[in-house]
Amino acid sequence: MAGMVQEEESSSVTSSPLQLFSLMSLSPGLGSPYPWLRELKSEERGLCLIQLLVACANQVAAGSIENANIGLEHISYLASPDGDTMQRIAAYFTEALANRMLKGWPGLHKALNSTKISSVSEEILVQRLFFELCPFLRLSYVITNLAIIEAMEGEKMVHIIDLHSSEPAQWIDLLQALSARPEGPPHLRITGIHEQKEVLELMAHQLNQEAEKLDIGFQFSPIVSKLENLDIESLRVKTGEALAISSVLQLHSLLAFDDGMLRRNSPSALKSLNPIHLQMNPLTYGDFLEKDVNFYSQCPDSASSSSPVSFASSAKMGSFLNALRGLSPKLMVVTEQESNHNTQSLMERVTEALNFYAALFDCLESTMSRASMERQKVEKMLFGEQIKNIIACEGLERKERHEKLEKWIPRLELAGFGRVPLSYHAMLQATRLLQSYGYDGYKIKEEKGCLVICWQNTPLFSISAWTFRRYI
């Protein structure tokens, strides 16, 4: 960014407020932002915020606390958690950047977070709101269930392992579908894994109630555990059971345990300028794209993400996937965020996260009022916490290590899984669901036998199906 600012300073100044803005952004000693910033149109304000966020992130990455503080002050003048899409995004990104800066003073950081209380009921509430306000989880459940029904045709005993058992709606729908099976329902056993006992108790109650109503042989086996601490033996897969595994937005967290492998590729060798180009949603940020905004950052922490980390070196992930494969599942369905938030470079993570969460915030902007408390809870308690984890955290603390399908495919294949193409029927049912709920702006596309859920043209979540391969 410094090179960009210096270049602009040598050019003549016109009356354009955006050009004037580019000269003063992050300049020390300017004091409060100019009053005319508040008079900018939404598109111009959004562009200012993007420029300020990237410039401020560069200062944070460089360890320049004074300049980063100036940037945060300017951004806070324009950002707002109840404003338009870009204002809301900026509010949460500045909180994440400030949180990262505070970690340089562990005592101060701990003191400011010492009274933070995370209740189970709040976590359940925000997950439920995300399920209701956005179609992503609903679509994942529909596609997963259809893949299970197709794979388990004719099976008498079905065992499903749910790697994050928190939403009864998915399995209630499956119970209802299995009860209508022409050959009659199988005996169904679901092993639910969650770190909160209360969540599993609620799951058990609702699913047992539904199974009793439908007169289906059913058993719910709860396992209170974090995914990374899961004892595979506790899953108790029995002979004669047809096994399916469901993983919805869970596997990426295991990549945190291989962070040491990532950091062996020293970032200090890469000091050259890295171009960063934000590809915002064309319907909402079309004017930004017309200006062809390019950001150049000299990132002291940057490391090229073009060279993927060896999948063989991912010990924790590899051992976990190998253990799952050892259970000989007939089917495993994996849903993951379709974005790359697992690079070493802070600037690359900031850029990827801006693109990804701009689309998610846009989804809510298209259907919810700005004053909606439900919308604000999802943005703050779910999206905001994820953004903070991606930007402010490192090492084992950074769990939100989302990766794209292009990385999941070779990783799963290396672990001994073979792809199962998702059927046209699954895509058709998902499309009908979008139409029936009136979800405009969402698209589903097929990619290498997998399905990708998009907002407009931005891929956001991928769903892939797998089976274990027999080694010869």
Side-chain angles (χ1 to χ4, degrees):
M1 193 71 178
M4 180 180 174
V5 173
Q6 288 172 3
E7 187 176 346
E8 287 181 346
E9 285 175 347
S10 64
S11 62
S12 60
V13 179
T14 68
S15 59
S16 167
L18 285 180
Q19 288 180 326
L20 179 57
F21 162 79
S22 68
L23 297 183
M24 51 72 68
S25 62
L26 288 193
S27 297
L30 279 171
S32 299
Y34 294 113
W36 53 259
L37 281 174
R38 283 184 174 172
E39 306 303 321
L40 291 176
K41 295 178 182 178
S42 177
E43 295 84 357
E44 291 179 327
R45 182 178 59 230
L47 181 55
C48 286
L49 281 168
I50 294 171
Q51 291 176 326
L52 275 172
L53 280 169
V54 175
C56 183
N58 264 303
Q59 299 299 331
V60 173
S64 180
I65 303 303
E66 184 178 351
N67 284 339
N69 181 61
I70 294 169
L72 292 177
E73 184 182 359
H74 288 354
I75 296 168
S76 65
Y77 192 77
L78 298 175
S80 170
D82 58 1
D84 61 29
T85 298
M86 199 59 227
Q87 287 179 300
R88 296 166 98 103
I89 292 169
Y92 292 108
F93 271 80
T94 53
E95 184 179 358
L97 289 168
N99 199 273
R100 185 181 180 94
M101 291 163 62
L102 275 176
K103 290 193 174 187
W105 291 274
L108 182 60
H109 181 266
K110 288 178 182 178
L112 289 174
N113 289 276
S114 61
T115 58
K116 184 179 179 182
I117 299 173
S118 178
S119 71
V120 176
S121 59
E122 280 188 340
E123 291 177 13
I124 295 173
L125 170 64
V126 74
Q127 288 291 342
R128 165 55 59 171
L129 287 174
F130 181 53
F131 174 77
E132 292 175 350
L133 299 181
C134 299
F136 304 112
L137 292 180
R138 203 182 297 271
L139 287 168
S140 171
Y141 297 155
V142 165
I143 293 167
T144 298
N145 285 354
L146 280 170
I148 290 173
I149 290 168
E150 291 169 2
M152 300 301 171
E153 187 176 349
E155 297 288 353
K156 301 297 184 184
M157 296 179 66
V158 175
H159 182 185
I160 297 172
I161 297 172
D162 184 356
L163 296 185
H164 187 70
S165 196
S166 60
E167 180 48 69
Q170 177 180 10
W171 306 125
I172 288 174
D173 287 348
L174 182 66
L175 282 166
Q176 293 172 350
L178 290 174
S179 70
R181 205 169 67 161
E183 67 268 36
H187 181 278
L188 179 63
R189 180 158 74 101
I190 294 178
T191 296
I193 301 157
H194 199 280
E195 60 187 275
Q196 301 288 352
K197 183 181 178 182
E198 300 93 324
V199 174
L200 293 173
E201 288 174 344
L202 182 63
M203 287 284 292
H205 173 72
Q206 295 193 33
L207 294 181
N208 281 318
Q209 201 173 43
E210 185 67 22
E212 187 176 343
K213 185 171 69 176
L214 296 169
D215 195 24
I216 291 179
F218 176 73
Q219 178 186 353
F220 185 81
S221 303
I223 296 180
V224 181
S225 173
K226 291 183 178 181
L227 194 60
E228 63 264 25
N229 299 327
L230 178 65
D231 177 11
I232 296 296
E233 296 297 322
S234 68
L235 299 175
R236 303 185 185 280
V237 177
K238 301 174 183 177
T239 303
E241 289 180 331
L243 178 65
I245 300 171
S246 172
S247 175
V248 180
L249 310 180
Q250 293 306 302
L251 287 181
H252 65 260
S253 65
L254 296 178
L255 293 169
F257 293 87
D258 299 313
D259 189 61
M261 291 292 184
L262 290 172
R263 291 183 177 276
R264 287 182 187 177
N265 299 325
S266 173
S268 60
L270 294 169
K271 296 286 187 178
S272 59
L273 296 180
N274 292 327
I276 296 179
H277 182 64
L278 294 183
Q279 299 174 342
M280 290 302 192
N281 184 290
L283 293 184
T284 304
Y285 299 112
D287 291 336
F288 298 166
L289 286 176
E290 287 176 9
K291 298 176 186 297
D292 194 26
V293 181
N294 287 274
F295 301 97
Y296 294 86
S297 60
Q298 191 166 357
C299 308
D301 72 326
S302 72
S304 174
S305 61
S306 60
S307 301
V309 175
S310 169
F311 297 115
S313 69
S314 300
K316 181 71 174 182
M317 177 66 75
S319 64
F320 184 79
L321 292 177
N322 284 329
L324 291 183
R325 184 209 164 274
L327 299 174
S328 303
K330 194 169 185 180
L331 183 74
M332 180 167 76
V333 185
V334 176
T335 300
E336 281 291 336
Q337 291 89 341
E338 186 64 7
S339 191
N340 188 18
H341 297 144
N342 193 29
T343 60
Q344 296 176 67
S345 164
L346 172 63
M347 289 309 303
E348 289 178 0
R349 297 207 304 269
V350 167
T351 305
E352 283 281 329
L354 275 171
N355 291 328
F356 184 81
Y357 288 97
L360 280 180
F361 276 73
D362 241 3
C363 296
L364 294 176
E365 176 79 4
S366 70
T367 56
M368 305 290 295
S369 74
R370 292 179 181 176
S372 165
M373 289 303 299
E374 290 81 5
R375 173 182 175 181
Q376 289 182 27
K377 284 178 180 178
V378 170
E379 290 175 342
K380 179 175 178 58
M381 297 168 62
L382 187 62
F383 299 164
E385 288 302 308
Q386 289 175 0
I387 291 167
K388 190 185 300 181
N389 189 266
I390 291 167
I391 293 172
C393 300
E394 297 295 349
L396 290 176
E397 194 181 6
R398 181 156 59 87
K399 301 290 188 182
E400 303 298 338
R401 294 171 176 267
H402 313 145
E403 292 192 342
K404 293 185 178 182
L405 191 59
E406 63 191 26
K407 289 190 177 180
W408 284 110
I409 288 175
R411 179 178 287 121
L412 285 158
E413 288 176 343
L414 186 66
F417 287 93
R419 254 179 293 171
V420 177
L422 290 165
S423 67
Y424 174 76
H425 181 58
M427 187 170 182
L428 186 63
Q429 286 293 97
T431 303
R432 285 175 177 170
L433 184 145
L434 287 176
Q435 293 171 345
S436 66
Y437 279 90
Y439 288 120
D440 295 326
Y442 296 91
K443 300 176 183 177
I444 301 174
K445 66 178 183 179
E446 187 273 338
E447 185 176 318
K448 300 178 181 178
C450 311
L451 295 181
V452 178
I453 308 170
C454 307
W455 167 251
Q456 306 298 351
N457 294 317
T458 304
L460 292 177
F461 297 89
S462 67
I463 306 170
S464 57
W466 304 83
T467 189
F468 81 103
R469 285 201 307 255
R470 298 182 186 277
Y471 293 127
I472 300 174

